[in-house]
Amino acid sequence: MQDDSHLMSIALDEARRAAERGEVPVGAVVVETTSGRILATAGNRTEALADPTAHAEILALRAAARTRGRPRLPDCTLVVTLEPCAMCAAAISFARIERLVFGATDPKGGAVLHGPRFYEQPTCHHRPEVAYGTGAEDASALLQAFFRARRGSERTQRRPSPEALEKDL
C-alpha cells in the first residue's frame, strides 16, 4: 500500500498539469487500497472537453472503472487535491470507493465537510472512509496562484467603464 503523501504528490502533479492547460488545478488518483496499484490519474479537463462534468475525480473514476471492466471500485482509494463537489461526492459513492483522501477543504463548493455534507445524508447509499489535510497547503497554494493570475488577466482585459468612454467623446 502506498502512503497518502506519495499519492497526493501524484495528484498534485496532475493538478499542475491541469493549470498549465488553463484548467482549475485539481488532480486525482485512484489506487487499489491493498496492493497500492495505481489504476488511474487525471486532472480537470472541463475547458478542454467542453464538459462541465470533466472534473478530475470523475475522469479518474471513469478510467479506473474502464481498467477494471466494472463500475464499482469497492477496494479502491481516491486521492484528490480538493474537497469534492456534490457531483463528485455522488460519483464516489456510486463507485463504492472504500476510502477518500483530499487535500484542501472547499468551504464554497465542497460537499463532504461543507455544503450538503453528502455522506451524512440519509439518502446516501455508500459512505467512504474520509481523510483530509494531506497536501492541503500545496493544493491551496496552487489554487490561489491560479485564480490570482486569472483575476489579474481579467482585469487587464476588462472593458472601460461607461464613465471612461464618455470622457473620450
Side-chain angles (χ1 to χ4, degrees):
M1 181 175 147
Q2 299 191 36
D3 79 2
D4 293 347
S5 296
H6 174 69
L7 293 168
M8 185 59 74
S9 71
I10 296 169
L12 285 163
D13 286 343
E14 287 292 335
R16 287 182 193 95
R17 283 192 278 281
E20 289 167 5
R21 293 189 304 270
E23 303 276 359
V24 175
V26 177
V29 179
V30 176
V31 61
E32 291 177 340
T33 304
T34 305
S35 72
R37 180 171 78 111
I38 293 174
L39 298 176
T41 63
N44 275 358
R45 288 191 178 273
T46 57
E47 299 297 328
L49 299 176
D51 178 356
T53 69
H55 291 194
E57 302 96 317
I58 300 289
L59 297 175
L61 289 171
R62 287 176 182 161
R66 274 193 307 274
T67 297
R68 284 279 188 82
R70 58 183 188 264
R72 307 267 189 296
L73 303 164
D75 58 341
C76 291
T77 295
L78 173 70
V79 178
V80 62
T81 57
L82 182 64
E83 178 180 354
C85 69
M87 174 184 70
C88 293
I92 291 162
S93 178
F94 295 151
R96 304 299 192 262
I97 288 291
E98 177 181 7
R99 189 163 176 264
L100 167 65
V101 177
F102 63 88
T105 60
D106 185 359
K108 239 177 148 174
V112 177
L113 300 179
H114 299 91
R117 297 179 186 223
F118 190 86
Y119 304 126
E120 295 177 21
Q121 300 308 312
T123 54
C124 180
H125 298 293
H126 172 77
R127 293 162 182 82
E129 174 189 332
V130 176
Y132 63 94
T134 302
E137 287 181 21
D138 291 337
S140 293
L142 263 175
L143 287 158
Q144 289 169 356
F146 176 82
F147 286 112
R148 190 173 20 255
R150 184 167 239 176
R151 282 190 300 272
S153 69
E154 286 176 2
R155 284 189 189 111
T156 61
Q157 294 176 7
R158 285 193 181 143
R159 297 171 62 190
S161 68
E163 295 81 20
L165 290 172
E166 286 178 14
K167 288 179 186 177
D168 289 338
L169 296 176

